[in-house]
Amino acid sequence: MEAAATPTPDQGLDRRRAVAALLDRLPDALVVTGLGSPTYDAFAAGPRATTFHLWGAMGGAVPVALGLALAQPDRTVLAITGDGEQLMGIGSLATVAACAPANLTIVVLDNGHYGETGMQTSHTSLGTDLPVVARGFGIAHTHTVATMEEVESLAARADERAGTVYARVVIGLHETARALPPRDGVANKNSFRAALGLETF
């Protein structure tokens, strides 16, 4: 069983570098990004029409990505979220396990803090081990990722679409400048639908 690790300011991966490497390795993936830093990190890696950014729906990244994975079974789908948002929406993992789409990979960027509300300590700093929790819900393939080599392996695993994957990526407390995508929800929705070849409205 993997022990939970709490990053310190000089430990853990650089979140922006890790996200950029993951997205670079999966150029055709459909991506749903969670509240705050995951959205900034993904947008900093370069705008993609196949990325759907969530702005104010804390806890919503995983269920939205689940629905997308079920609707687009031939595409690799990534949910990129943070530990705080995952803790808020933890119950969604039960539905993920019950549906078990082979093309869904959940990536949780875990720095042990609630980055969007003042860097308060989150429960992952207090003993909650997210991969163990995910296994308890019934997700078989769970991992802790702590090196860039493991990020590359995670991308390869996601690209195989061989079963739902849940990955906690240990990141440091590095400060990164915000990279803000457009905040027009309708435009984001229409851009994403157009990228899927669907009607926009």
Side-chain angles (χ1 to χ4, degrees):
M1 191 172 292
E2 299 163 330
T6 302
T8 65
D10 60 343
Q11 294 176 329
L13 296 175
D14 179 292
R15 63 180 306 139
R16 195 144 289 179
R17 182 180 172 217
V19 170
L22 185 64
L23 295 179
D24 184 63
R25 179 67 173 73
L26 296 166
D28 297 321
L30 305 178
V31 183
V32 180
T33 62
L35 178 72
S37 293
T39 284
Y40 311 149
D41 296 336
F43 190 70
R48 296 166 39 141
T50 52
T51 296
F52 190 78
H53 303 291
L54 294 180
W55 279 99
M58 188 169 182
V62 169
V64 169
L66 171 61
L68 184 60
L70 294 172
Q72 298 284 330
D74 296 326
R75 301 288 296 271
T76 296
V77 177
L78 296 179
I80 303 177
T81 188
D83 54 301
E85 177 171 2
Q86 178 64 100
L87 288 162
M88 174 169 277
I90 201 73
S92 63
L93 297 181
T95 306
V96 169
C99 296
N103 58 328
L104 176 62
T105 296
I106 299 168
V107 179
V108 182
L109 306 175
D110 184 6
N111 65 2
H113 291 77
Y114 295 103
E116 294 308 300
T117 60
M119 292 301 286
Q120 303 91 342
T121 299
S122 86
H123 292 304
T124 63
S125 287
L126 303 172
T128 298
D129 188 326
L130 290 173
V132 171
V133 172
R135 283 198 296 277
F137 276 114
I139 299 174
H141 304 290
T142 68
H143 311 277
T144 290
V145 173
T147 69
M148 290 303 297
E149 291 76 16
E150 290 172 336
V151 171
E152 292 291 331
S153 295
L154 172 62
R157 181 68 175 79
D159 201 31
E160 292 173 358
R161 298 196 294 275
T164 301
V165 175
Y166 186 93
R168 166 186 176 253
V169 180
V170 181
I171 59 169
L173 301 179
H174 315 98
E175 290 292 329
T176 54
R178 293 187 175 187
L180 303 177
R183 299 186 72 171
D184 186 331
V186 174
N188 190 18
K189 178 261 296 183
N190 284 336
S191 174
F192 192 78
R193 287 181 63 86
L196 292 175
L198 301 175
E199 180 183 1
T200 60
F201 51 88

